[in-house]
Amino acid sequence: MFLDSDLLLSALRALTPILLAALGGALCERAGVFNIGLEGMMLMGCFTAVATSWFTGSPWLGVLAAALAAAGYSLVLAVGAVTLRGDAVVLGIAMNLLAVGLTSFLLRTVFGVQGTFDDPSLAGLPLIGGFTPLAYLSWVAVAVAGVLLSRHVWGLRLRGVGEAPDAAATLGVRPASYQYGAILLSGVLCGLAGAQLALGNVTLFSENMTAGRGWIAVVAVMLGRAAPLGVLLAALLFGLAEAAGFRLQGLGLPQQATDAAPYVVTLGALFLTTARRRRRPRPSGARS
Amino acid sequence: MTRISGALRSPLTFSVLAGLLIGALFLVGTGADPLTAYGAVLTGALGGDGIGATLTTGTSVLGLALALAIPLRAGLINLGGDGQMVLGGITAAVTGLTSPLPAPLTVALALLAGVAAGAGYAVLAALCENHFGVPLLVSSLLLSYPAVSLASYLARYPLKEPGSSLPQTRALPDGVALPAFGDSTVTLGLVLVVLAAAVYWFTDRRTAVGYEIRMTGLNARFSAYAGVERRGLTLRLMAVSGGLAGLVGAIGVLSFPYRFVDGSLTAPGYTWTGLTAALLAGAAPLGTLVAAFFFAVLQVGGLAMERTTEVPRELTQVLQAIVIVFLAARLRLPGRLLRRRSREREAV
């Protein structure tokens, strides 16, 4: 049978990096910052995780370093878009480009290899019940983000900053500090996503290994309307498409068809949801 | 004098200088002498051995820079250059291999087919924005992946050269090629792309359409109020943009090695370099030309730098991105549309 529990399990494994990155993107979106630098932040996380794990022998330090490095990298967006009021879209694109260049450059200067760094003694993350600890963490993060945004005062203020920065400022909430917080958190989450990708899904680093997953995460934010549960469902859709792709490849479909599957499915889902939203316009202010 | 000091204070000069400075720090960090390295970039790209490669790379970079600059002028970001270019390339290859016409006509037909394929695919992304509300930025990028996969599949299976281990189509028949200048790899394609730049300059400066496009980029709401029909404009701009990207793909196939090689169009990252150039120039026609040339020099000179100083050539990619990071933080570019429009949709 094609749709079985195995497929669901491999979908759950595939979705973790997307989910973590998309949660970060959703926080930024709610704070009124359009973050399309997710891909670059993830890639920085991938490289830092692999490099730290290699030099210290501990994948846990790799995860920690990835979170810190990506958070540090996200400061570029925070300073550029919030403090200097630069263009977040252009900044995000430039950050993605910079990450590809920087990690390829470092791959060659630090490890002296081109393309892929793959060593049997590189320590990856352990599996608990078939999933890495980061996968469990990502599910917890969905719940935490959900509670934070709907119940906690920090989350409510964050949403206020995103929807009406001037009104929030009048109430004594400093929009910039909330936006910094959201961007830094998205950096941490993207760093974890990168660590999961490089030390969990596989144990290696290769140039541009995120391969559009950060963009899928951006789309997942749109699909899920920046709500944690919605983002989870959107990421699950992508995970299913990726897992189904691998399954079809086993059945003899060429790799190119399965490579394209997640993007086509995501685009299709985007059509359907936005088309439905258009027919039945929501009352203003009624964010899911 | 005031002009000089003004230029020095402009965000553009600041960004380029800051990029070069940070690049120099990287070079020092890897133990290389920045002056030697930058010197190697310049002599490698502009010297007798490198100028041909620079102009060949420059053809593709300028073509894609123009393709992305034209919609950018109206605040639209087309991220699907890879897909549009690759479809143009594979269509030109199929046309070149199957056309029964004499060689010169086949070349013209292949170019047109490439343009049509790129334009048609880009229009698809525009329709996604117009009719489904999927932002152009996202729809164009997502559409790019299946196109690249499709072309890769075609080059590896149905169109693959029999007996070859490389993922490439058969070579085009004799004579089905763009004329080259002398012994170099520079072809008539460069002239075509420069001509396109000239047409863009004229349209931007001298025609009503160009004015409408610029006004839309500066203030979309004002131009809508003044009667610019946005959906139609998006459609037309994306058709031109994708057509140009398709043209670059077709030029690539009709130049050395005269076939479609899987990955040869996408691997050098022309789309991103082109976008960087267009952003750097604020999509202005002449500026885009200069910026595209600048980045072609960086890209080709990077190889020479790698040979003389052993600093990886990826450093030049880092340089490009740093310049844009600085510029984006300082300049307001016509890229805010997406955000504003999504807000408006949210409010409806």
Side-chain angles (χ1 to χ4, degrees), chain B residues 55-56 59-60 62 104 107-108 111 177-182 184-196 247-248 250-252 254-256 258:
Chain B
L55 289 177
T56 310
T59 305
S60 303
L62 174 60
V107 171
L111 285 175
L178 285 166
F181 296 108
S184 70
T185 52
V186 186
T187 62
L188 199 63
L190 179 64
V191 178
L192 290 177
V193 173
V194 171
L195 262 178
L247 177 70
V248 173
I251 290 173
L254 292 166
S255 308
F256 182 79
Y258 312 112

Side-chain angles (χ1 to χ4, degrees), chain A residues 256, chain B residues 90 94 149-160 169:
Chain A
Q256 285 77 23
Chain B
I90 195 87
V94 171
S149 293
L150 174 70
S152 168
Y153 171 75
L154 290 175
R156 279 167 193 272
Y157 300 100
L159 298 175
K160 188 173 180 301
T169 65

Side-chain angles (χ1 to χ4, degrees), chain A residues 29 32-34 36 39 73 76 79-81 84-91 93-95 97-102 104-106 108-109 114 162-163 165 207 211-213 215-216 218-219 222 254-257 259-260 263-264 266-267 270-272 274-275 277-278 281-287, chain B residues 26-27 30 77 79 128-135 137-139 141-143 145-150 152-153 156-157 231 262 272-273 275-276 279 306 311-315 317-322 324-336 338-339 341-343 345-348:
Chain A
E29 185 68 30
V33 181
F34 186 51
I36 59 170
E39 171 107 359
Y73 192 53
V76 174
V79 174
L84 299 174
R85 297 187 177 278
D87 195 303
V89 173
V90 177
L91 262 171
I93 292 175
M95 283 172 74
L97 276 177
L98 182 58
V100 175
L102 206 56
S104 306
F105 176 77
L106 288 173
R108 292 190 63 188
T109 44
Q114 203 169 354
E163 274 165 34
E207 278 176 25
R213 283 187 182 78
W215 289 102
I216 296 275
V218 170
V219 178
M222 292 181 186
Q255 191 203 342
Q256 285 77 23
D259 279 352
Y263 303 99
V264 176
T266 313
L267 197 60
L270 210 50
F271 284 167
L272 292 176
T274 47
R277 223 180 300 174
R278 287 205 148 193
R282 286 171 301 140
S284 66
R287 290 194 138 196
Chain B
F26 269 99
L27 286 166
T30 52
I77 301 185
L79 286 184
C128 286
E129 163 153 311
N130 285 349
H131 295 287
F132 296 101
V134 181
L137 186 80
V138 169
S139 62
L141 183 86
L142 286 181
L143 279 170
Y145 290 96
V148 172
S149 293
L150 174 70
S152 168
Y153 171 75
R156 279 167 193 272
Y157 300 100
R231 288 183 168 199
D262 184 28
W272 295 107
T273 308
L275 181 65
T276 324
L279 288 172
E306 187 172 294
V311 176
R313 64 171 180 279
E314 283 83 1
L315 182 71
Q317 202 183 344
V318 175
L319 267 178
Q320 284 177 27
I322 289 177
I324 298 300
V325 166
F326 274 104
L327 197 65
R330 300 240 149 206
L331 255 193
R332 301 294 183 95
L333 285 163
R336 319 209 122 234
L338 180 91
R339 175 113 220 110
R341 293 195 65 211
S342 69
R343 277 242 182 86
R345 211 176 299 132
E346 205 67 59
V348 167

Side-chain angles (χ1 to χ4, degrees), chain B:
Chain B
M1 271 319 276
T2 50
R3 276 192 75 148
I4 293 173
S5 63
L8 280 177
R9 263 187 276 118
S10 89
L12 191 65
T13 324
F14 173 82
S15 304
V16 171
L17 285 180
L20 289 175
L21 193 69
I22 292 180
L25 290 179
F26 269 99
L27 286 166
V28 171
T30 52
D33 174 26
L35 282 180
T36 319
Y38 284 149
V41 170
L42 284 181
T43 51
L46 300 173
D49 297 332
I51 189 76
T54 305
L55 289 177
T56 310
T57 305
T59 305
S60 303
V61 173
L62 174 60
L64 275 163
L66 283 175
L68 305 176
I70 289 169
L72 189 65
R73 199 68 159 159
L76 302 166
I77 301 185
N78 171 15
L79 286 184
D82 266 353
Q84 294 146 17
M85 171 173 58
V86 163
L87 280 188
I90 195 87
T91 312
V94 171
T95 314
L97 287 169
T98 56
S99 156
L101 299 171
L105 285 177
T106 300
V107 171
L109 191 67
L111 285 175
L112 285 177
V115 170
Y121 205 61
V123 161
L124 215 56
L127 289 174
C128 286
E129 163 153 311
N130 285 349
H131 295 287
F132 296 101
V134 181
L136 193 67
L137 186 80
V138 169
S139 62
S140 59
L141 183 86
L142 286 181
L143 279 170
S144 195
Y145 290 96
V148 172
S149 293
L150 174 70
S152 168
Y153 171 75
L154 290 175
R156 279 167 193 272
Y157 300 100
L159 298 175
K160 188 173 180 301
E161 180 178 41
S164 162
S165 61
L166 296 170
Q168 58 185 22
T169 65
R170 279 182 294 129
L172 298 177
D174 268 346
V176 180
L178 285 166
F181 296 108
D183 299 333
S184 70
T185 52
V186 186
T187 62
L188 199 63
L190 179 64
V191 178
L192 290 177
V193 173
V194 171
L195 262 178
V199 171
Y200 176 38
W201 178 83
F202 182 81
T203 312
D204 187 68
R205 284 299 174 84
R206 293 273 184 274
T207 66
V209 179
Y211 180 73
E212 278 182 9
I213 294 171
R214 260 185 296 148
M215 281 307 117
T216 306
L218 292 172
N219 190 335
R221 232 182 270 186
F222 167 76
S223 71
Y225 178 70
V228 176
E229 210 269 304
R230 193 182 157 77
R231 288 183 168 199
L233 188 72
T234 305
L235 217 57
R236 275 177 285 147
L237 284 175
M238 281 303 281
V240 173
S241 173
L244 269 170
L247 177 70
V248 173
I251 290 173
V253 166
L254 292 166
S255 308
F256 182 79
Y258 312 112
R259 58 178 94 215
F260 183 89
V261 185
D262 184 28
S264 71
L265 291 170
T266 45
Y270 296 133
T271 299
W272 295 107
T273 308
L275 181 65
T276 324
L279 288 172
L280 182 67
L286 284 177
T288 303
L289 187 92
V290 174
F293 186 69
F294 174 56
F295 285 143
V297 165
L298 274 185
Q299 205 160 335
V300 174
L303 280 167
M305 179 190 73
E306 187 172 294
R307 277 196 302 271
T308 46
T309 61
E310 292 181 354
V311 176
R313 64 171 180 279
E314 283 83 1
L315 182 71
T316 55
Q317 202 183 344
V318 175
L319 267 178
Q320 284 177 27
I322 289 177
V323 171
I324 298 300
V325 166
F326 274 104
L327 197 65
R330 300 240 149 206
L331 255 193
R332 301 294 183 95
L333 285 163
R336 319 209 122 234
L337 234 78
L338 180 91
R339 175 113 220 110
R340 206 182 303 135
R341 293 195 65 211
S342 69
R343 277 242 182 86
E344 276 165 15
R345 211 176 299 132
E346 205 67 59
V348 167

Side-chain angles (χ1 to χ4, degrees), chain A residues 178-264:
Chain A
Y178 280 84
Q179 288 174 333
Y180 261 76
I183 294 173
L184 280 173
L185 259 177
S186 80
V188 169
L189 286 164
C190 285
L192 296 177
Q196 163 70 23
L197 203 58
L199 296 177
N201 290 25
V202 289
T203 313
L204 57 86
F205 178 84
S206 67
E207 278 176 25
N208 202 11
M209 71 183 294
T210 41
R213 283 187 182 78
W215 289 102
I216 296 275
V218 170
V219 178
V221 174
M222 292 181 186
L223 262 178
R225 298 190 206 168
L229 207 58
V231 165
L232 173 67
L233 289 175
L236 184 64
L237 182 76
F238 174 80
L240 274 173
E242 194 168 286
F246 277 124
R247 180 70 61 93
L248 287 171
Q249 209 173 316
L251 296 177
L253 221 69
Q255 191 203 342
Q256 285 77 23
T258 58
D259 279 352
Y263 303 99
V264 176

